[in-house]
Amino acid sequence: MMDEINMISKSQIIDKLKKAGVTPTQQRVEIGQILFAKPQHMSADQVLSVVNQTGPVVSKATIYNTLGLFAKKGLVREVIVDPSKVFYDSNTSEHHHFYDIDTGSLMDINNGQLRLESMPVLPDGTEAEGIDIVIRVRKSMH
Amino acid sequence: MMDEINMISKSQIIDKLKKAGVTPTQQRVEIGQILFAKPQHMSADQVLSVVNQTGPVVSKATIYNTLGLFAKKGLVREVIVDPSKVFYDSNTSEHHHFYDIDTGSLMDINNGQLRLESMPVLPDGTEAEGIDIVIRVRKSMH
DNA sequence: CAGCCATTTAGACAAAGTCTATTCCATTAA
DNA sequence: TTAATGGAATAGACTTTGTCTAAATGGCTG
């Protein structure tokens, strides 16, 4: 009721899932509603606790299954910057990240702000699947 | 005896540790000998099992303490590409990585092969601590 | 030799994520 | 309407990586 502003309607989520070839079950819509509400980075853990605050309970296994499925279907992107947990990024456009090592928070780098000069020669028999650039930052002490 | 070729002498390791301000204990030298034998990427787990194959037993806690210490002292670099484990890279010169998502293996990208066009504006009040570029690759199916 | 302090250790613990066997539920078929 | 089917969800056991703690060890210095 009070987060109406950032809400995406249930039918929009259902659409999004269908378009990606994901059967829109109640739990997946529930999770999508949290994940796609606004561009953001969440760990499985955070998703789990938010889902279970705002709606009917969804099990841990389903959270992991769903996040994995969403990632496979391109609805969400896994970001690996923290040795202890995976972040799921609902912004699937090409971009990279700042990672604040003090706070553990992730921020998008707008695309255009950062690009590679050239692509290196790949190892034999491989093809590129993706490029991740992470700029680690910390509070500056002036 | 038979890996003499890739061996670094104990005294070389001791030197390296001293220069970095690390007291060269027996265990640390043991671990250094494995880690610094050649440029390579190892997980804590791998170090643990190799150490305990080739020399006197070193406890798990000491492996983690030592790897953490080495990283802090710049003898080794932590590489985060796999959600489930940290790799320790004995190549501390500036460079980036290919990560084979099929095999889970890490390969260095020679520096000069890869550079950024420009540095993006950092978030307010932060300073850059480091940049990690990972090119994820997989077996190409031609 | 005695004392000191860093280091090492075993093993308990914690957290993220996986697995399995069962239950649930929506859809189709009769 | 009911029965059958198969994908999805579930609880909870389990695994793995890594951390913590309290006690034991060991190398120096006086």
Side-chain angles (χ1 to χ4, degrees), chain A residues 23 25 27-28 57-62:
Chain A
T23 311
T25 66
Q27 288 86 340
R28 288 170 183 169
V57 168
V58 177
S59 74
K60 190 174 62 155
T62 297

Side-chain angles (χ1 to χ4, degrees), chain A residues 15-83:
Chain A
D15 252 41
K16 204 176 157 94
L17 297 190
K18 277 184 185 162
K19 267 180 203 144
V22 172
T23 311
T25 66
Q26 201 205 305
Q27 288 86 340
R28 288 170 183 169
V29 172
E30 201 73 44
I31 291 168
Q33 218 147 15
I34 285 155
L35 227 40
F36 306 137
K38 52 184 184 308
Q40 64 185 320
H41 313 93
M42 298 182 83
S43 65
D45 217 46
Q46 288 177 292
V47 174
L48 181 61
S49 75
V50 174
V51 165
N52 291 337
Q53 251 169 14
T54 61
V57 168
V58 177
S59 74
K60 190 174 62 155
T62 297
I63 298 287
Y64 280 100
N65 287 342
T66 301
L67 290 173
L69 181 65
F70 282 10
K72 204 176 73 182
K73 297 294 190 172
L75 288 166
V76 119
R77 185 171 134 193
E78 294 184 341
V79 182
I80 297 162
V81 283
D82 183 309

Side-chain angles (χ1 to χ4, degrees), chain B residues 10 16 21 26 61 69 80 90 97 102 104 108 110 112 122 142:
Chain B
K10 206 161 275 202
K16 206 176 155 94
Q26 202 204 303
L69 181 65
I80 297 163
S90 59
H97 295 99
D102 294 322
D108 285 357
N110 294 328
L122 303 184
H142 38 0

